[in-house]
Amino acid sequence: MKLYHFPLSGHSHRAALFLTLCGLPFEIVPVDLARGQQKEKDFLALNPFGEVPVLVDGQHVIADSHAILLYLARKTGPSHWYPEDPCTQGEIQKWLAVSAGKIAYGVCTARLITLFGAQDDAEKAIALAHTTLKVIEQRLGATDWIAGTPAPTIADIALYSYVAVAPEGNVSLIPYPAIRHWLSRLERLPGFVPMPRSKVGMSAEC
Ligand SMILES: N[C@@H](CCC(=O)N[C@@H](CS)C(=O)NCC(=O)O)C(=O)O
């Protein structure tokens, strides 16, 4: 399998993290977002939206980080990553939607501003980040894994990357002890690979 990837992208990281946690061999194909490689013809043929990550598995091309998580979870067969029962699947889908929405427009956008100088409303992104983290904190105060399962699911993987680097976007994790414990639990899983850290936002201070 080939993973088209940009190292500072949390969307790319969640796909790479899941591949390594599953012990699946893959080759990284770097896509230089700063150079606009994602908008070149060859890449657009893989993903017309011009975004990483994209997974290529033989004839199959899967764009979108959440689609990749689901594809890999189904490809590797039944497991704790995506349990069969409909209630858990519904719960997982709910958190994948949080990842694609509130996490993308909250913690992720706040970091895009500090790290890449994105023209966006930092105050609004940071406010959404905290509203979202408060809900996640409450949930993780009651269960080890976000979908309420005894073992991690792809919903935990989807949420991990941008939450882990939230301080880079000036979103402190100090008020969220349950989230910090959950991050540590994920980081102890065999095959874990870290999200690259950058000295921006609050992370510049430590
Ligand atoms: N829905 C997509 C979003 C992916 C995304 O936003 N990728 C960003 C990097 S983090 C990207 O490739 N941006 C390049 C651009 O917009 O030009 C997913 O979940 O994979």
Side-chain angles (χ1 to χ4, degrees):
M1 284 187 276
K2 286 184 180 176
L3 182 67
Y4 290 75
H5 174 276
F6 178 68
L8 293 175
S9 152
H11 293 81
S12 294
H13 176 259
R14 58 171 76 115
L17 172 60
F18 193 48
L19 282 158
T20 61
L21 289 172
C22 291
L24 294 168
F26 68 105
E27 179 193 333
I28 291 254
V29 183
V31 178
D32 190 343
L33 299 189
R35 271 190 39 225
Q37 228 179 332
Q38 74 281 20
K39 304 297 181 203
E40 288 174 6
K41 194 165 155 256
D42 286 355
F43 187 81
L44 290 175
L46 294 174
N47 181 7
F49 288 113
E51 292 173 339
V52 289
V54 174
L55 183 74
V56 177
D57 183 13
Q59 301 300 306
H60 306 296
V61 178
I62 303 102
D64 188 276
S65 58
H66 302 104
I68 293 169
L69 295 179
L70 264 174
Y71 172 79
L72 291 172
R74 295 309 302 256
K75 180 185 163 83
T76 50
S79 76
H80 63 86
W81 294 115
Y82 192 62
E84 293 290 316
D85 81 282
C87 289
T88 304
Q89 290 191 353
E91 188 64 23
I92 290 172
Q93 292 294 339
K94 181 184 82 184
W95 290 107
L96 295 184
V98 171
S99 170
K102 295 178 198 308
I103 290 289
Y105 297 112
V107 275
C108 170
T109 296
R111 176 175 170 270
L112 277 179
I113 296 167
T114 53
L115 189 54
F116 301 110
Q119 296 300 305
D120 217 314
D121 185 338
E123 212 175 306
K124 193 171 157 202
I126 291 170
L128 176 59
H130 283 294
T131 308
T132 310
L133 291 176
K134 276 180 198 152
V135 176
I136 295 177
E137 174 72 12
Q138 201 177 17
R139 174 75 173 153
L140 290 172
T143 173
D144 276 359
W145 304 107
I146 199 76
T149 48
T153 69
I154 55 172
D156 295 286
I157 307 308
L159 296 175
Y160 174 81
S161 311
Y162 286 115
V163 172
V165 293
E168 293 179 11
N170 286 319
V171 177
S172 173
L173 291 176
I174 290 169
Y176 307 113
I179 291 181
R180 287 186 278 111
H181 284 127
W182 166 78
L183 292 172
S184 305
R185 270 196 294 285
L186 274 156
E187 287 157 9
R188 288 196 300 270
L189 294 174
F192 173 82
V193 283
M195 172 77 187
R197 305 292 164 140
S198 305
K199 292 261 175 212
V200 293
M202 288 171 173
S203 298
E205 294 155 23
C206 25

